[in-house]
Amino acid sequence: MYDRPRPDRSVPAMTFDQMLERVRYEGAYPTRERAAEAVRAVLAALGRQIAGDERVNLARRLPREAALALTSTAPDAEQLTGWGFVKDLAAGTGVSPAVARWNTGAVLAPVAALAGPDLLARILQRLPDGYALLFGQAQLPQPQPQPHPQPASV
């Protein structure tokens, strides 16, 4: 048996230009410049929400320019919910929440693909509710432990 070469995870699966084209397509942006603005704004905002190994590992999987946008700001002390993230992005970029939500989905779809299912699952576990939908994933409720009924005393 021979040893198969393994993919080098330090080399992103797509270039920044390819990422911009995907975002431009996903978001129906008229220009690459508009797609680049969305990428930089959304990734900088996401970088304020993700910390630790997940942040480092995601940055490694992104094209260099996207990784720089993600890591351009320090993580915030308090994380925002998914809706809070969208509202904060809207306020920071001067667009409506609907446009911010559109931009977020257009950018995070290729980011989810680059992250891969395992890393994305770890990122979503660390983020508050509402982010799975922003990444184009199903938001499944976490099972809550049910109290066991006490036996009736006789």
Side-chain angles (χ1 to χ4, degrees):
M1 185 163 262
Y2 61 92
D3 189 24
R4 289 184 177 187
R6 295 187 180 153
D8 182 2
R9 288 305 227 175
S10 65
V11 177
M14 69 175 68
T15 67
F16 189 63
D17 286 337
Q18 291 168 327
M19 184 179 189
L20 287 181
E21 281 305 312
R22 175 125 182 238
V23 169
R24 184 176 176 195
Y25 176 80
E26 293 280 339
Y29 298 116
T31 64
R32 288 173 52 90
E33 290 75 23
R34 180 63 191 96
E37 288 172 18
V39 166
R40 288 184 183 98
V42 170
L43 289 180
L46 182 64
R48 291 192 299 271
Q49 302 303 307
I50 300 176
D53 290 342
E54 287 75 23
R55 178 181 164 111
V56 171
N57 290 330
L58 180 57
R60 285 184 183 148
R61 294 184 185 191
L62 296 175
R64 184 175 186 278
E65 297 88 339
L68 290 173
L70 178 77
T71 59
S72 66
T73 57
D76 288 344
E78 288 188 42
Q79 291 179 317
L80 301 170
T81 63
W83 177 237
F85 175 86
V86 169
K87 290 191 306 187
D88 185 62
L89 181 63
T93 56
V95 299
S96 71
V99 171
R101 173 60 182 94
W102 182 268
N103 292 344
T104 300
V107 172
L108 295 185
V111 169
L114 288 168
D118 294 338
L119 177 57
L120 184 58
R122 290 194 316 270
I123 289 169
L124 292 174
Q125 284 177 340
R126 296 230 172 181
L127 290 170
D129 285 343
Y131 282 88
L133 293 173
L134 298 178
F135 280 96
Q137 306 293 307
Q139 178 77 42
L140 301 176
Q142 297 297 320
Q144 300 297 318
Q146 298 296 320
H148 295 292
Q150 298 296 321
S153 40
V154 186

